[in-house]
Amino acid sequence: HFSLSVILLFILISVVQCWTPPTYNETVIEAFFQKTWLDPIQINSNPYVNGTINVTIPGSVCALIYNDTSRQFYNLKTYNSSDDAEKDGAFVTHANPCGACSSTIDLAVYMSRPDLTDPVRKCGLESLVSPKIALACIEKIGFTPECSKIWLYNELNTKSKCFSPCIFDWAVGMPNNVPVNSTTLNPCLQCDEDQSGPIFKSFAGRTRRGSGLLSAINRPPDQIYQVTHYYY
């Protein structure tokens, strides 16, 4: 006979496998674009240079607290768990602590642009001319200024650490996942994941996966945080 714990485990696995991240319409996206974060987190230096990584609390979440009835202005706060956030009347916006990309504007960018690999890569190439030009390019994608900084630093680090696999994958038109329908990353993306991902996640706060959003890069279902965004 199956024990109760085994049955509960099967139920939990089934729920994880059955959950499908929703897509969001223009009404939701535009509403998030129009909101104002009252205390944005600043990126004052390149974290890939000083090598300091913030400690991520297991199970921690970043949640939004509105300051007015019109839901126009908000603050963000890191909670130890989603339960703690909900008890405080806050809306969970992504897994892991808040960071420079935790704003609703950056959320709206992720919602509206499922494929950011090529646009950001093109901006990264601009860094060969000038990092300032590359930063302006990233901001034109729609990211907030502070979020754009961590994206730029991520691209500079990846260019330094992953140049060979990335230039090869770009030259041959390698798909994001190899094989195409798998969740295995191509060599460039895997190098970026290993060499730049941990610091990016630590300082950006919001990632697409951590925000419960799908992208042009296939990810294992258990890596996509189960959260929805209907608090606009």
Side-chain angles (χ1 to χ4, degrees):
H1 298 287
F2 286 115
S3 67
L4 179 59
S5 60
V6 172
I7 293 173
L8 291 174
L9 178 61
F10 279 138
I11 293 173
L12 177 61
I13 292 173
S14 298
V15 170
V16 171
Q17 290 177 337
C18 292
W19 186 75
T20 301
T23 55
Y24 299 90
N25 61 34
E26 287 300 320
T27 300
V28 178
I29 294 170
E30 185 58 28
F32 282 130
F33 267 127
Q34 298 304 318
K35 299 184 187 303
T36 302
W37 183 8
L38 295 176
D39 54 346
I41 293 172
Q42 305 294 312
I43 298 292
N44 297 315
S45 62
N46 185 346
Y48 291 95
V49 174
N50 61 39
T52 302
I53 301 180
N54 296 330
V55 175
T56 297
I57 304 169
S60 62
V61 299
C62 178
L64 179 151
I65 304 169
Y66 285 112
N67 288 49
D68 62 328
T69 56
S70 66
R71 295 192 170 190
Q72 180 64 40
F73 302 97
Y74 65 92
N75 295 98
L76 292 173
K77 180 179 177 180
T78 298
Y79 291 87
N80 290 333
S81 70
S82 58
D83 286 342
D84 287 348
E86 290 166 7
K87 288 176 183 176
D88 203 25
F91 298 94
V92 175
T93 190
H94 66 75
N96 301 314
C98 304
C101 296
S102 294
S103 77
T104 61
I105 292 176
D106 298 307
L107 170 61
V109 172
Y110 281 133
M111 286 177 169
S112 61
R113 306 191 68 156
D115 186 358
L116 285 167
T117 303
D118 288 338
V120 173
R121 182 179 294 157
K122 289 177 182 177
C123 291
L125 292 174
E126 298 280 3
S127 67
L128 296 172
V129 179
S130 165
K132 288 185 178 180
I133 294 176
L135 181 62
C137 178
I138 295 172
E139 288 183 1
K140 285 181 181 178
I141 292 174
F143 288 117
T144 55
E146 297 305 309
C147 183
S148 296
K149 289 180 185 177
I150 191 62
W151 268 101
L152 172 64
Y153 294 141
N154 178 91
E155 286 301 300
L156 293 174
N157 187 70
T158 297
K159 184 177 69 174
S160 172
K161 302 288 180 62
C162 307
F163 183 80
S164 294
C166 287
I167 198 67
F168 177 81
D169 286 0
W170 175 79
V172 302
M174 189 79 70
N176 292 331
N177 299 94
V178 183
V180 173
N181 293 322
S182 72
T183 56
T184 303
L185 302 178
N186 68 33
C188 174
L189 290 176
Q190 187 61 61
C191 184
D192 173 77
E193 184 95 352
D194 297 337
Q195 298 295 329
S196 299
I199 287 181
F200 180 85
K201 181 179 177 180
S202 176
F203 284 85
R206 183 184 302 285
T207 64
R208 195 187 295 276
R209 281 171 287 171
S211 303
L213 301 173
L214 294 175
S215 74
I217 302 172
N218 295 331
R219 302 287 188 176
D222 62 356
Q223 290 186 10
I224 302 175
Y225 184 61
Q226 294 190 27
V227 61
T228 55
H229 305 282
Y230 298 111
Y231 45 89
Y232 58 94

